[in-house]
Amino acid sequence: METTTTSGFEVVENAGGAPVKAWTRGVSVEPRALEQLRRTASLPIIHGWVAAMPDVHVGIGATVGSVVPTVGAVIPAAVGVDIGCGMSAVCTTLTANDLPTSLKGLRTAIEMRVPVGRGLFRQVPQAQRDVWARLGPRYQKLVDARPALASKDPAAQLGTLGTGNHFVEVCLDEQDRVWFMLHSGSRGLGNRFGTTFIEVAREDMRAHATNLPDEDLSYLREGTSHFDEYVEAVTLAQEYAAENRRLMMAAVVEAAKSTRVIRPFEATVMVVDCHHNYVARETHFGAEVLVTRKGAVRAGRGQLGIIPGSMGARSYIVRGKGHPESFESCSHGAGRAYSRTAARAQFTLEEHEAATKGIECRKDPGVLDETPAAYKPIEAVMAAQRDLVDVLHTLRQVVCVKG
């Protein structure tokens, strides 16, 4: 595989297909991830090239940390099953001096108000019912047409965190101001939508396509009923994910206010919200395309975004530079250096405890796959994309609630 170095990124040549433009200088990239990127770029529906962000690593279907522009088609597996997964952050009027010496009570208060893991609300709060009154009829229309899209208690999952790398954090910025930050997506609804349409696309390709480089890259052609159905489903899931984060953030703010040792405060100094697993219609280089960001954030000129590190690393509030070659994108985080299985085998609980010293968080074997060393160094990731974003604020965690 031939690689050409240019300003800010490297061009990975791809015989018989579109190239890959990679912002990965100073960051390790698995050979399997490069091969996966090449396969994606080989599809006839690619517009120009595929962009790889510095957090790039092997994913299911498409590579995590990739930006995939397509014309006249969409790849459901590139969007993934956590449709609309993303980040939300708010800066408050609190400072570090306003926080109690022990942060365990704050962590407990958050965990009491935000169901984590596979948890959901046994009694759906009014705010969630109001949101579902808007989204529910669209969901029911989709389910009526395709019963396989039905998921368990979608209204009761609104405002819940989920599993894996999803989290809620209390952070301090460079001025010791308190921020609340969280990471979550469309929960069971998005998973069911994504899983169903990945299989629909596979069935379409088996019937109509030859020489597909990977069955996971099966796509839905614009102008077909399956494409239209998927666009309706993915749009709903992305809205659901955004509402999920909004409801959770409101619960986190209320949790902090419920701890009597914290003074009254506002949480509206700066509010940022962004998807990093989604598809959107955009115009690039004079053409309307469908841009799928699989673990990547929109970084248009002046646009705010969030790039989190791991449980024990820094996170960043950024402003996009609108770099055209990246399709106005940046990374969505540090990116995994070890798979979950490899991380659990590689790292010890003692190492995890040392890496998260001073942070109020879980320190048990159940989170070893999320230990800081399982991820790439966030500083190297940020250095590799300095021409994509400007850093506005650098955050450090003091509380971390994991899914």
Side-chain angles (χ1 to χ4, degrees), residues 133-199:
R134 274 192 306 105
L135 302 183
R138 291 161 58 192
Y139 165 83
Q140 194 58 54
K141 181 180 178 181
L142 285 163
V143 170
D144 288 345
R146 189 180 290 274
L149 294 175
S151 61
K152 182 180 178 181
D153 299 321
Q157 289 191 27
L158 277 166
T160 68
L161 189 60
T163 59
N165 62 353
H166 294 165
F167 62 78
V168 178
E169 291 182 343
V170 182
C171 305
L172 303 177
D173 68 12
E174 64 285 344
Q175 299 176 38
D176 270 353
R177 294 182 300 180
V178 174
W179 290 68
F180 301 132
M181 184 169 70
L182 58 84
H183 171 212
S184 191
S186 52
R187 304 289 281 110
L189 177 145
N191 186 290
R192 183 57 61 89
F193 284 10
T195 301
T196 300
F197 280 102
I198 287 170
E199 185 54 39

Side-chain angles (χ1 to χ4, degrees), residues 302-367:
Q303 192 166 10
L304 299 181
I306 306 169
I307 303 176
S310 63
M311 289 176 74
R314 300 292 187 257
S315 296
Y316 299 87
I317 306 298
V318 299
R319 178 184 289 128
K321 293 185 175 182
H323 198 301
E325 303 286 326
S326 72
F327 300 102
E328 301 186 3
S329 306
C330 67
S331 86
H332 82 311
R336 297 197 72 91
Y338 293 82
S339 70
R340 295 190 181 279
T341 301
R344 284 191 288 267
Q346 177 75 21
F347 303 110
T348 66
L349 190 56
E350 291 74 22
E351 289 171 326
H352 174 70
E353 289 172 347
T356 57
K357 185 178 180 180
I359 301 171
E360 176 58 46
C361 65
R362 287 177 59 188
K363 301 179 193 285
D364 59 76
V367 294

Side-chain angles (χ1 to χ4, degrees), residues 41-365:
S42 298
L43 295 174
I45 58 175
I46 296 298
H47 173 68
W49 55 87
V50 169
M53 300 297 101
D55 58 341
V56 66
H57 58 279
V58 171
I60 298 173
T63 321
V64 179
S66 64
V67 183
V68 184
T70 54
V71 177
V74 66
I75 309 166
V79 181
V81 298
D82 196 0
I83 302 168
C85 186
M87 299 286 305
S88 184
V90 297
C91 181
T92 76
T93 54
L94 295 169
T95 68
N97 290 334
D98 296 314
L99 296 178
T101 303
S102 172
L103 295 170
K104 186 173 183 180
L106 178 54
R107 177 186 160 197
T108 300
I110 293 170
E111 290 173 338
M112 287 178 62
R113 286 167 174 77
V114 179
V116 303
R118 301 187 183 279
L120 43 76
F121 288 101
R122 292 183 179 179
Q123 291 187 329
V124 180
Q126 185 60 50
Q128 275 78 339
R129 291 202 298 269
D130 291 343
V131 169
W132 194 242
R134 274 192 306 105
L135 302 183
R138 291 161 58 192
Y139 165 83
Q140 194 58 54
K141 181 180 178 181
L142 285 163
V143 170
D144 288 345
R146 189 180 290 274
L149 294 175
S151 61
K152 182 180 178 181
D153 299 321
Q157 289 191 27
L158 277 166
T160 68
L161 189 60
T163 59
N165 62 353
H166 294 165
F167 62 78
V168 178
E169 291 182 343
V170 182
C171 305
L172 303 177
D173 68 12
E174 64 285 344
Q175 299 176 38
D176 270 353
R177 294 182 300 180
V178 174
W179 290 68
F180 301 132
M181 184 169 70
L182 58 84
H183 171 212
S184 191
S186 52
R187 304 289 281 110
L189 177 145
N191 186 290
R192 183 57 61 89
F193 284 10
T195 301
T196 300
F197 280 102
I198 287 170
E199 185 54 39
V200 170
R202 286 172 177 164
E203 291 173 357
D204 280 2
M205 289 292 99
R206 290 173 192 139
H208 302 112
T210 58
N211 300 322
L212 192 70
D214 185 336
E215 190 179 45
D216 281 331
L217 294 175
S218 297
Y219 50 88
L220 300 171
R221 283 282 190 185
E222 193 164 6
T224 66
S225 60
H226 289 169
F227 176 94
D228 294 342
E229 190 181 3
Y230 179 68
V231 168
E232 287 184 25
V234 82
T235 300
L236 175 60
Q238 289 170 189
E239 291 180 30
Y240 181 100
E243 290 289 356
N244 185 41
R245 290 193 295 273
R246 183 183 66 80
L247 290 164
M248 268 191 290
M249 186 60 77
V252 171
V253 171
E254 288 305 311
K257 290 181 176 179
S258 74
T259 60
R260 297 180 182 179
V261 295
I262 297 179
R263 68 171 175 83
F265 67 92
E266 297 298 323
T268 55
V269 178
M270 179 181 285
V271 180
V272 188
D273 189 86
C274 55
H275 292 320
H276 55 224
N277 280 359
Y278 73 110
V279 60
R281 287 189 185 274
E282 298 174 10
T283 300
H284 293 277
F285 298 97
E288 183 182 86
V289 294
L290 287 158
V291 178
T292 297
R293 292 184 175 89
K294 171 84 165 181
V297 175
R298 177 73 188 267
R301 182 170 296 278
Q303 192 166 10
L304 299 181
I306 306 169
I307 303 176
S310 63
M311 289 176 74
R314 300 292 187 257
S315 296
Y316 299 87
I317 306 298
V318 299
R319 178 184 289 128
K321 293 185 175 182
H323 198 301
E325 303 286 326
S326 72
F327 300 102
E328 301 186 3
S329 306
C330 67
S331 86
H332 82 311
R336 297 197 72 91
Y338 293 82
S339 70
R340 295 190 181 279
T341 301
R344 284 191 288 267
Q346 177 75 21
F347 303 110
T348 66
L349 190 56
E350 291 74 22
E351 289 171 326
H352 174 70
E353 289 172 347
T356 57
K357 185 178 180 180
I359 301 171
E360 176 58 46
C361 65
R362 287 177 59 188
K363 301 179 193 285
D364 59 76

